[in-house]
Amino acid sequence: MIGIICAMDIEARQLKDAIVDRSAQRVGRLEFVSGKLAGQEVVIAMAGVGKVNAAMCTQTMIIKYAPDLIINSGVAGSLSPRLDIGDIAVGTGVVEHDFDSTAVGDPPAYFNELEGDTFPCDPDAAQAILEAASALGLNAIPAKIASGDQFISDGAKKKQLVEQFDAAACEMEAGAIAHVCFNNGVKCAVIRAISDSTDGEHQVEFYKFLPVAADNSARLVTAFLEGLPKQ
């Protein structure tokens, strides 16, 4: 089974609507919709915005459904001139940029269990996603994702994330999802379509281009699933 986690309804709706033989289960406020999508057994959940919501959703999904791979699909802000509106950042790893224990001598975003700052994404899944994006005609690049409980719109902060972590996109959930997957030994993939550019009017761009970016990420998830061996 493959798990799919989105933060917002607009990111999850297209995928949930395409599920056949669907069933739903509620755990607290979370709804998990399972069934078949593009020939694959899947479970989809809308976690809500932010790392705590994402972590709760991911752990619950692992306990209840035991997926082999969890895909985080949604939108992100660009930190790279190679990523414009609608383009795709395919995660190679995720850093929680707002985790800070430097006061006790650790490097920025350092986690002891990781012995580093970057939670991994599955390389085989990432490569297959990049190939699926190419087949769809989408511009997609392998990218390190910066994740934190902040909507990053300040140019100086974006520059810092690039200089400090070599990140190409920023968002608010993938770090928690990759972190929980790492601690549970579950493969993780991140698909993030760009909804605001490196130098635009970020709040205006986000709401203007959110539907386009969400549609691109959902189409890419479906194309990736279609390319897997049928279950």
Side-chain angles (χ1 to χ4, degrees), residues 3 13 17 19 65 90 99 125 162-163 170 178 182 186-187 195 202 205 210 222 227:
R13 189 185 313 131
D17 288 348
I19 289 181
Y65 293 92
V90 179
F99 187 83
V162 174
E163 292 176 348
C170 56
F182 176 82
V186 176
K187 294 178 181 178
S195 58
H202 305 288
E205 284 192 342
L210 174 60
T222 303

Side-chain angles (χ1 to χ4, degrees), residues 60-75:
T60 303
M61 180 179 283
I62 290 170
I63 291 170
K64 292 288 186 179
Y65 293 92
D68 302 301
L69 170 72
I70 291 181
I71 303 169
N72 176 218
S73 173
V75 302

Side-chain angles (χ1 to χ4, degrees), residues 145-226:
I145 310 294
S147 189
D149 284 318
Q150 302 165 349
F151 185 98
I152 305 297
S153 60
D154 178 69
K157 181 63 176 179
K158 287 196 169 192
K159 183 179 179 182
Q160 177 193 344
L161 294 178
V162 174
E163 292 176 348
Q164 194 164 40
F165 301 114
D166 194 28
C170 56
E171 50 71 72
M172 299 177 66
E173 294 82 32
I177 293 168
H179 190 156
V180 173
C181 284
F182 176 82
N183 282 349
N184 284 273
V186 176
K187 294 178 181 178
C188 173
V190 178
I191 296 172
R192 289 286 182 162
I194 299 303
S195 58
D196 59 282
S197 62
T198 55
D199 55 1
E201 296 179 71
H202 305 288
Q203 292 177 337
V204 173
E205 284 192 342
F206 176 76
Y207 289 108
K208 180 179 180 181
F209 296 115
L210 174 60
V212 173
D215 178 69
N216 282 354
S217 63
R219 288 196 299 126
L220 182 50
V221 169
T222 303
F224 166 69
L225 295 176
E226 288 173 344

Side-chain angles (χ1 to χ4, degrees), residues 16 48 53 56 60 78 84 87 89 97 101 104 149 168 205 213 215 220 223:
K16 287 197 294 186
N53 284 330
M56 289 191 298
T60 303
S78 177
D84 204 349
D87 292 343
H97 66 80
S101 58
V104 296
D149 284 318
E205 284 192 342
D215 178 69
L220 182 50

